[in-house]
Amino acid sequence: MAYILLLIGFGLLIKGADLFVDGSSNIARLLRVPPILIGLTIVAFGTSSPEATVSILAALQGNAEVSLGNVVGSNIFNITLVVGIAAFLYPLMVESETTKKEIPFTLLASGALLVLISDIELQGLSDNSLTRSDGIIFLLFLSIFMYYVIEVGLKSRKDSQEEPLPSNIKWGKNIGLTLAGLAAIIFGGDMVVDSGTAIALDLGMSKTLVGLTIIAIGTSLPELVTSISAALKKESGIALGNVVGSNIFNILFVLGASAVVTPLPVNGKIFTDVMIMIALSLLLLLFSRTHYKIGKREGFILLTMYIVYLVFIILRN
């Protein structure tokens, strides 16, 4: 039954992503805003919902390692495997605003996470943790980011006000497609995580390894299938915006909300993973600045890095 549910889950993910990309890219046209902004907001928030669900439930159950590990692992997966596969399928064109503001904002959020969990080193406390105050700081950072995105959206809408809209694009139909696609993505992702975990435990994998691999990968499957679908449809703005936006939401919203629910103690091992996440964000920024395109070569490098990271965490645990 677990294998059947796994296949059904993958089917829902793939079909859901197809509907979601179609609906959200048409909504971008109706709103007269660039697809990258829809990728950074609606698509990113939607595909980050599995991480939010898993991390907040883990926080409520007192399992902080799952909350923090899920977010950091998912962000590393997004930068390496999601961008890598999408770029390998179709070169991702990068807008200058993305390299100047959005990716640097990801770095800012990642740097803030490193600072806020370093209580022993920076404040001389007896242990490291993400407190409720830290969670509120993350949510304030998120409000600044949302203000920026809305302002850019209003400006681009004003600039494109004169452009005619295709008559065959309707609000109701595309909102319906987007919501149906999002529901399929969330339910499909949940089925893949549950059935995949059951299969992995049955095969003898430890719970720690399952958390670092299957749960982190499983909750990032919506980002993966959405970005692949967007790349195949040559919607590189949504493909890249989805990853950048999801990483920002994962740190600022998911960890912010989880820490506000209950303070999260920090395992010392996670510092290495956070530093890897920051290094990979810097690499993504560097790749984005090369001719404002992430091509097959950069995609292959990112894919290789994920394999190296996976081997590292398996050997470490």
Side-chain angles (χ1 to χ4, degrees), residues 64-195:
E65 287 183 35
V66 171
S67 292
L68 201 52
N70 174 38
V71 165
V72 176
S74 292
N75 280 14
I76 290 171
F77 180 88
N78 287 346
I79 295 169
T80 52
L81 207 71
V82 177
V83 175
I85 291 176
F88 206 75
L89 291 171
Y90 179 76
L92 303 177
M93 306 308 295
V94 186
E95 296 182 21
S96 61
E97 289 293 308
T98 304
T99 60
K100 289 177 184 174
K101 294 176 182 175
E102 282 104 30
I103 297 177
F105 203 94
T106 310
L107 277 165
L108 174 66
S110 303
L113 174 62
L114 182 61
V115 169
L116 292 177
I117 63 174
S118 302
D119 295 329
I120 295 174
E121 291 79 2
L122 298 179
Q123 299 188 61
L125 300 180
S126 57
D127 54 10
N128 295 312
S129 66
L130 270 178
T131 63
R132 285 195 173 92
S133 300
D134 296 336
I136 292 168
I137 289 169
F138 278 147
L139 294 176
L140 289 172
F141 268 119
L142 180 64
S143 66
I144 294 168
F145 175 70
M146 292 307 298
Y147 174 80
Y148 155 73
V149 169
I150 291 167
E151 189 176 311
V152 171
L154 290 174
K155 182 179 181 297
S156 62
R157 188 180 185 189
K158 186 179 177 183
D159 292 343
S160 63
Q161 204 69 41
E162 301 302 318
E163 293 178 16
L165 284 173
S167 58
N168 61 333
I169 298 179
K170 306 294 182 186
W171 273 104
K173 178 185 175 183
N174 288 292
I175 289 172
L177 284 176
T178 305
L179 292 175
L182 178 59
I185 286 168
I186 293 168
F187 284 121
D190 190 46
M191 289 173 76
V192 168
V193 172
D194 288 346
S195 52

Side-chain angles (χ1 to χ4, degrees), residues 12-14 60 78 83 123 127 132 159 183 194 216 245-246 264 275 280-281 293 306 316:
L12 283 171
L13 275 171
I14 293 163
L60 287 169
N78 287 346
V83 175
Q123 299 188 61
D127 54 10
R132 285 195 173 92
D159 292 343
D194 288 346
S246 289
L264 307 175
M275 288 176 185
L280 289 168
S281 297
K293 183 177 78 171
Y306 185 71
R316 182 179 69 180

